[in-house]
């Protein structure tokens, strides 16, 4: 049973099933689907609220675990020099799609769509990792490069959501951020007192952080990203991203172990709630998001990674120009976080649905990436 669950999680089957169910439901019975999302249920909370404001806090909390572990000594982002090239590629993978989105919107978009510039900055870590394993094979250095890039990309994405995607109809109330500061101080104190269970951090620090962000009109799904870095962890990290160390019983590792199955399976509901767009909703926002994800990310990542090589921070051994192009294309799979941001960026349902369609179509970045790696004559470049 555990083996079957792991296979389902590894191949993102719950998320895919939720997306397919949402597409069928939203197109066959749109009114029923709308009521399912927004009608109040338990304690007056809607399914949409529970999913995007509560469940996603754990999704971003798990992402924060990966970022924290990667920054520890022995982690994939430590020391900094080792990660300079993928970090530069991350800069390109953010600036590239933003610049292309704004440029294309000036050509054929409309002023109301400018707010969607943050949608194509994200990379879906799990789906990109899965695509990279298919294309490069297990153990290829391009996979580690991609994961370093993607996880840093999502760290910046969290910051973009926090700063730019509050409710436009509800101005930020910074005074409430005092509660977030109190949550950070409490978690710091718990760590100094060597509290060796993640529950006090989660229950007290997480609740303070969530309530502070919610009342400040910033997205409360980011609440646990303020808490997770304070969970006690080993002084030296001995794992890589998406690996589990059975000997690591620290609170940081236990939190990931205990909640990752819940998050992976819960992505079915996330897909069901966020991917329900009408097939007729394709519009300018669709092409803005799709072209920015695939073309903008590829151009930015390749350009900045090559710049890093010229500055003395080489690509990993075994990663040449061909592998770099394929990596840039795979990083254009925005999906999960892009769907989330698309839902926050636009109050207009038509624009939101069109942008979500672009995020979902970014899955097709897999095919040009695979084609690049199938070219008979390797492209010459930096290695």
């Amino acid at each position: 049973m555990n083996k079957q669950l792991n296979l389902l999680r590894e191949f993102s089957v719950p998320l895919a099933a939720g997306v397919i169910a949402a597409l069928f439901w939203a197109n066959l019975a749109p009114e029923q689907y709308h009521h399912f999302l927004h009608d109040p249920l338990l304690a007056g909370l809607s399914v949409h609220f529970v999913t995007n404001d509560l469940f996603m806090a754990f999704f971003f909390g798990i992402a924060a675990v990966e970022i924290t572990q990667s920054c520890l000594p022995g982690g994939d982002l430590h020391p900094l020099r080792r990660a300079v090239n993928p970090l530069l590629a991350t800069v390109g993978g953010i600036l590239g799609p933003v610049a292309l989105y704004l440029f294309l919107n000036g050509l054929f978009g409309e002023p109301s769509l400018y707010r969607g510039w943050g949608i194509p900055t994200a990379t879906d870590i799990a789906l990109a990792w899965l695509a990279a394993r298919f294309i490069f094979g297990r153990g290829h250095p391009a996979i580690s490069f991609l994961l370093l890039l993607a996880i840093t990309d999502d760290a910046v994405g969290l910051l973009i959501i926090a700063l730019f995607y509050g409710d436009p109809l509800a101005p930020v109330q910074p005074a409430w951020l005092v509660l977030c500061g109190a949550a950070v101080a409490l978690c710091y104190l718990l760590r100094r007192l060597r509290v060796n269970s993640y529950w006090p951090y989660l229950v007290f620090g997480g609740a303070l952080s969530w309530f502070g962000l919610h009342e400040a009109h910033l997205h409360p799904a980011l609440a646990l990203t303020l808490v997770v870095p304070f969970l006690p962890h080993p002084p030296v990290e001995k794992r890589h991203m998406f690996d589990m160390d059975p000997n690591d019983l620290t609170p940081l590792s236990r939190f990931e172990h205990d909640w990752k199955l819940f998050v992976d399976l819960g992505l079915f509901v996330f897909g069901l709630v966020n991917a329900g767009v009408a097939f007729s909703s394709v519009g300018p926002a669709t092409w803005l998001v799709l072209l920015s994800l695939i073309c903008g990310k590829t151009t930015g990542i390749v350009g900045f990674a090559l710049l890093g090589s010229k500055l003395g921070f080489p690509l990993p051994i075994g990663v040449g120009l061909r592998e770099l192009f394929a990596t840039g294309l795979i990083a254009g799979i925005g999906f999960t976080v892009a769907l989330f941001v698309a839902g926050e960026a636009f109050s207009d349902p038509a624009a939101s649905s069109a942008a979500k369609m672009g995020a979902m179509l970014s899955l097709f970045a897999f095919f040009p990436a695979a084609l690049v790696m199938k070219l008979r004559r390797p492209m010459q470049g930096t290695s």
Side-chain angles (χ1 to χ4, degrees):
M1 183 64 177
N2 286 338
K3 186 177 180 180
Q4 292 170 326
L5 275 177
N6 288 334
L7 282 173
L8 289 175
R9 294 162 61 191
E10 182 176 341
F11 290 95
S12 299
V13 172
L15 175 60
V19 168
I20 293 169
L23 288 171
F24 274 102
W25 196 351
N27 283 276
L28 294 175
E31 288 190 15
Q32 185 188 64
Y33 179 74
H34 178 81
H35 286 300
F36 164 74
L37 294 186
H38 300 291
D39 286 357
L41 293 175
L42 292 174
L45 304 179
S46 67
V47 172
H48 185 275
F49 179 87
V50 170
T51 302
N52 281 20
D53 290 50
L54 295 174
F55 166 76
M56 286 302 283
F58 291 93
F59 174 87
F60 288 122
I62 294 296
V65 171
E66 299 289 347
I67 295 167
T68 302
Q69 290 174 325
S70 297
C71 292
L72 294 174
D76 291 308
L77 292 176
H78 189 279
L80 183 60
R81 180 177 174 82
R82 177 181 172 189
V84 166
N85 196 287
L87 289 176
L88 280 172
T90 299
V91 174
I94 293 169
L95 296 181
V98 170
L100 185 58
Y101 183 97
L102 296 175
F103 173 74
L104 292 176
N105 192 53
L107 287 181
F108 62 81
E110 52 192 65
S112 62
L113 297 180
Y114 275 112
R115 184 171 161 79
W117 63 267
I119 300 169
T121 59
T123 295
D124 190 300
I125 299 176
L127 292 176
W129 172 73
L130 182 61
R133 280 185 52 193
F134 272 111
I135 291 171
F136 297 118
R138 286 179 180 268
H140 194 286
I143 298 177
S144 296
F145 181 88
L146 173 69
L147 287 175
L148 290 173
L149 184 157
I151 204 160
T152 313
D153 200 28
D154 276 14
V156 176
L158 297 182
L159 187 61
I160 289 173
I161 293 169
L163 295 178
F164 298 102
Y165 288 105
D167 186 346
L169 302 178
V172 174
Q173 302 291 328
W176 285 99
L177 294 178
V178 170
L179 292 181
C180 297
V184 169
L186 174 62
C187 292
Y188 175 77
L189 178 63
L190 290 171
R191 182 167 172 176
R192 293 282 295 178
L193 293 173
R194 299 187 178 183
V195 174
N196 207 32
S197 166
Y198 65 75
W199 282 107
Y201 299 84
L202 200 67
V203 172
F204 301 111
L208 270 176
S209 177
W210 190 94
F211 192 73
L213 289 170
H214 183 268
E215 294 302 308
H217 300 154
L218 297 172
H219 211 291
L222 303 177
L224 293 184
T225 64
L226 301 178
V227 171
V228 164
F230 291 95
L231 294 178
H233 49 67
V236 177
E237 188 57 58
K238 297 180 180 178
R239 61 179 284 283
H240 296 286
M241 285 175 278
F242 294 118
D243 292 335
M244 287 286 186
D245 183 356
N247 298 315
D248 183 0
L249 299 177
T250 57
L252 184 69
S253 182
R254 286 206 305 270
F255 169 74
E256 181 183 32
H257 180 271
D258 291 350
W259 287 93
K260 196 164 188 322
L261 176 62
F262 168 76
V263 168
D264 287 344
L265 298 181
L267 284 174
F268 169 82
V269 181
F270 172 84
L272 185 64
V273 166
N274 289 279
V277 298
F279 294 126
S280 60
S281 64
V282 173
T286 304
W287 310 118
L288 288 173
V289 170
L290 181 61
L291 291 172
S292 300
L293 275 168
I294 296 179
C295 301
K297 269 200 178 291
T298 303
T299 303
I301 287 169
V302 171
F304 274 69
L306 292 178
L307 174 64
S309 295
K310 296 294 183 183
L311 294 175
F313 303 103
L315 291 164
I317 295 173
V319 177
L321 189 54
R322 183 170 61 155
E323 289 80 9
L324 188 58
F325 265 102
T327 299
L329 287 164
I330 294 169
I333 299 175
F335 215 74
T336 309
V337 179
L339 281 175
F340 182 82
V341 179
E344 303 302 318
F346 301 117
S347 55
D348 176 24
S352 178
S353 295
K356 287 181 177 183
M357 185 64 77
M360 289 191 289
L361 289 174
S362 70
L363 283 172
F364 287 98
F366 171 87
F367 296 104
L371 183 62
V372 166
M373 289 307 296
K374 292 294 183 182
L375 292 176
R376 290 187 178 181
R377 293 183 63 188
M379 297 170 67
Q380 297 301 314
T382 307
S383 60

